């Protein structure tokens, strides 16, 4: 009888400890500045219009959930599909997406604001707003004209991912077998220099390894990987960063923002996705269908529901641990890719209300509160400020020369 009572007491104590850790994680999410450098709300809103200032049925982001999760500054991804470069519409499309974010702010001025600097972002958060800095995903909108960089910087773009799924006029892509530039184009090299001068952060997510190393040589300031993870766990997946690249990024003061998508996190998840694709391709061939067929879509959806392997929260935390072991906590951040990776998000990190789960995991893995403050936003702020400081010095130097 005593043994049963003792076991019951231990269970109750364990539950109490769990609740304490949960409450502490939730408190830290609300206490510290929480920045996520990649959320694909604008593109989502063009595909399925919704007022994310209110609770929404679908998607990963809306104001109520962001508030619960403690999210202060989600970078709105100005995502430009690769085909927009080939048809010449990339610049106009980027402006359209920025108009959409500005419209959201105009609709909910008490909830959202767009910052053009660290200081503005901090003021907006202090006044109770969710600050919406902009990050351009795919530099196709620059369209070979450095004046366009200035244009988008004035509209609020604070980083540019140089390319996306296809190589463009700036850089080769990690996803594209066509590597016409063997890294960056000559214009791409000029663009990196000009981004430093203007104060727009360079984002090395999506670019080829060769392009990454060229950025490291050219950039005078720290750069970011806005939504990448550690290749150590996904061998052969160039879209993630190798240990050597993470060390080089950190040596320059940059930050890798961990992507939450299951296929970025887990080799098993990647393998399950590849099997689903292979089975879908075979299904199409056998029936003479194309990928736009509703029958193909239904087949792939059902197969995904039956066989796709989701990453777990612990798998995501392993990436944070790996970067910490490689270079320390000063070079890690959050780049979830919410609203950008479909339904492949890990259990426990399904939307923006669940950042406290990540924080709880970090606490349980012996990250200090100071470490967590850096990961949630401090590290990214350091890089953002370094870019601003360099750009300000360049402007002042140019004025003196005149």
């Amino acid at each position: 009888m005593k043994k049963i009572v003792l076991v019951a007491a231990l269970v109750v104590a364990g539950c109490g400890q769990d609740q304490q850790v949960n409450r502490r994680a939730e408190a830290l999410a609300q206490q510290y500045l929480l920045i996520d450098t990649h959320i694909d709300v604008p593109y989502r809103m063009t595909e399925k219009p919704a007022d994310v200032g209110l609770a929404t049925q679908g998607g990963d982001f809306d104001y109520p959930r962001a508030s619960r999760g403690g999210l202060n500054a989600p970078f709105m991804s100005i995502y430009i599909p690769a085909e927009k470069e080939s048809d010449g519409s990339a610049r106009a499309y980027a402006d359209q997406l920025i108009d959409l974010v500005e419209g959201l702010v105009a609709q909910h001025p008490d909830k959202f604001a767009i910052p053009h600097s660290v200081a503005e972002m901090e003021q907006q958060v202090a006044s109770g707003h969710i600050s919406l800095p902009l990050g351009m995903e795919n530099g196709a909108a620059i369209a070979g004209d450095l004046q366009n960089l200035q244009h988008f910087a004035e509209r609020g773009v604070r980083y540019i991912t140089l390319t996306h799924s296809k190589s463009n006029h700036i850089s080769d892509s990690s996803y594209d077998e066509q590597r016409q530039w063997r890294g960056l184009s000559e214009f791409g090299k000029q663009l990196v220099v000009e981004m430093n001068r203007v104060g727009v952060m360079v984002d090395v997510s999506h670019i080829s390894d060769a392009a990454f190393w060229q950025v490291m040589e050219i950039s005078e300031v720290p750069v970011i990987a806005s939504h990448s993870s550690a290749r150590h766990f996904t061998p052969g997946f160039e879209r993630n960063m190798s240990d050597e690249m993470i060390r080089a990024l950190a040596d320059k003061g940059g930050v890798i923002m961990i992507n939450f998508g299951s296929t970025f996190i887990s080799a098993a998840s990647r393998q399950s996705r590849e099997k689903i694709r292979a089975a879908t391709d075979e299904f199409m061939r056998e029936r003479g269908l194309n990928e736009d067929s509703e029958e193909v879509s239904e087949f792939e959806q059902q197969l995904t529901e039956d066989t796709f392997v989701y990453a777990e929260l612990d798998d995501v935390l392993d990436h944070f641990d790996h970067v910490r072991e490689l270079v320390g906590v000063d070079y890690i951040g959050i780049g979830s890719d919410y609203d950008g990776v479909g339904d492949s998000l890990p259990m426990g990190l399904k939307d923006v209300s669940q950042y406290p789960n990540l924080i709880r995991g970090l606490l349980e893995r012996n990250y200090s509160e100071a470490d967590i403050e850096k990961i949630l936003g401090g590290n990214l702020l350091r890089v953002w400020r370094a870019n601003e400081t360099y750009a300000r010095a360049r402007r002042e130097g140019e004025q003196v020369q005149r």
Side-chain angles (χ1 to χ4, degrees):
M1 184 67 176
K2 288 182 179 179
K3 184 175 181 180
I4 294 174
V5 171
L6 177 60
V7 170
L10 289 171
V11 169
V12 170
C15 291
Q17 289 174 352
D18 285 346
Q19 291 174 354
Q20 287 179 353
V21 176
N22 285 338
R23 286 197 293 269
R24 186 180 174 200
E26 290 169 359
L28 293 179
Q30 298 297 329
Q31 176 181 344
Y32 293 126
L33 181 69
L34 202 166
I35 300 173
D36 188 323
T37 50
H38 200 86
I39 296 185
D40 275 294
V41 167
Y43 185 75
R44 165 192 160 196
M45 290 169 68
T46 64
E47 295 290 293
K48 294 181 179 179
D51 182 0
V52 296
L54 306 174
T56 59
Q57 292 298 316
D60 308 327
F61 173 95
D62 57 39
Y63 181 82
R65 284 182 284 174
S67 297
R68 287 200 304 275
L71 181 60
N72 305 116
F75 275 73
M76 295 288 98
S77 175
I78 306 304
Y79 162 59
I80 303 161
E83 62 269 17
K84 299 292 183 183
E85 174 160 304
S86 57
D87 67 17
S89 65
R91 185 186 188 278
Y93 187 72
D95 276 325
Q96 176 187 336
L97 292 186
I98 296 172
D99 290 345
L100 190 153
V101 180
E102 289 179 346
L104 176 64
V105 171
Q107 189 174 1
H108 298 284
D110 57 327
K111 296 177 179 177
F112 300 116
I114 299 173
H116 290 71
S117 66
V118 171
E120 284 188 12
M121 183 272 294
E122 291 176 327
Q123 290 166 2
Q124 291 164 3
V125 171
S127 67
H129 291 79
I130 291 181
S131 187
L132 304 177
L134 307 178
M136 180 181 287
E137 186 179 22
N138 190 356
I142 302 302
D145 185 349
L146 294 177
Q147 290 299 314
N148 286 332
L149 170 63
Q150 186 65 42
H151 166 76
F152 286 114
E154 290 172 358
R155 294 212 66 186
V157 170
R158 301 273 63 89
Y159 76 71
I160 296 176
T161 317
L162 299 182
T163 190
H164 190 253
S165 59
K166 296 290 184 183
S167 300
N168 63 10
H169 72 286
I170 296 166
S171 175
D172 292 334
S173 167
S174 61
Y175 282 132
D176 195 346
E177 293 181 0
Q178 300 298 318
R179 308 286 172 97
Q180 59 179 326
W181 307 118
R182 298 183 181 179
L184 300 175
S185 68
E186 285 305 311
F187 177 78
K189 294 172 183 177
Q190 294 173 27
L191 180 62
V192 170
V193 172
E194 191 68 7
M195 288 173 68
N196 287 176
R197 192 186 73 80
V198 172
V200 174
M201 291 179 283
V202 177
D203 176 19
V204 298
S205 290
H206 280 287
I207 67 177
S208 68
D209 285 6
F212 167 83
W213 290 110
Q214 289 168 12
V215 168
M216 290 298 99
E217 291 176 7
I218 296 168
S219 182
E220 297 289 340
V221 290
V223 307
I224 64 170
S226 70
H227 58 308
S228 296
S229 299
R231 199 181 300 173
H232 171 82
F233 298 98
T234 56
F237 185 37
E238 188 176 350
R239 174 65 179 77
N240 277 344
M241 298 187 71
S242 70
D243 289 359
E244 186 180 12
M245 294 164 75
I246 292 169
R247 290 191 186 98
L249 185 77
D251 285 345
K252 208 172 186 76
V255 183
I256 176 172
M257 318 297 290
I258 301 299
N259 189 315
F260 292 172
S262 288
T263 58
F264 288 79
I265 295 296
S266 162
S269 181
R270 292 194 58 75
Q271 290 165 5
S272 72
R273 178 69 77 196
E274 289 167 2
K275 289 178 181 177
I276 290 166
R277 285 175 179 163
T280 302
D281 288 344
E282 184 177 357
F283 180 82
M284 285 191 297
R285 284 194 301 270
E286 288 177 350
R287 288 160 178 76
L289 301 171
N290 61 49
E291 60 184 12
D292 296 327
S293 164
E294 184 175 344
E295 189 177 350
V296 170
S297 178
E298 291 174 354
F299 174 84
E300 184 173 17
Q301 182 177 349
Q302 187 61 55
L303 194 58
T304 298
E305 291 176 4
D306 293 342
T307 66
F308 182 72
V309 176
Y310 288 92
E312 301 287 341
L313 174 59
D314 275 337
D315 297 319
V316 178
L317 291 165
D318 287 345
H319 285 252
F320 284 85
D321 283 354
H322 184 71
V323 178
R324 177 175 63 168
E325 291 164 7
L326 278 176
V327 295
V329 296
D330 293 328
Y331 311 100
I332 321 170
I334 297 171
S336 64
D337 215 348
Y338 280 134
D339 278 320
V341 289
D343 63 352
S344 75
L345 290 159
M347 304 305 294
L349 290 172
K350 289 296 187 183
D351 64 35
V352 294
S353 71
Q354 296 191 314
Y355 296 106
N357 292 341
L358 178 72
I359 296 171
R360 175 194 167 119
L362 294 172
L363 288 169
E364 291 174 339
R365 293 191 180 206
N366 297 316
Y367 287 75
S368 69
E369 285 195 18
D371 292 340
I372 291 170
E373 182 179 10
K374 290 178 180 179
I375 290 168
L376 294 184
N379 291 336
L380 189 279
L381 279 189
R382 172 178 51 77
V383 175
W384 190 351
R385 286 195 178 103
N387 276 259
E388 287 186 347
T389 300
Y390 179 87
R392 189 180 307 114
R394 284 288 303 271
R395 287 196 300 271
E396 292 171 354
E398 289 168 3
Q399 289 171 358
V400 169
Q401 290 176 359
R402 292 193 190 100

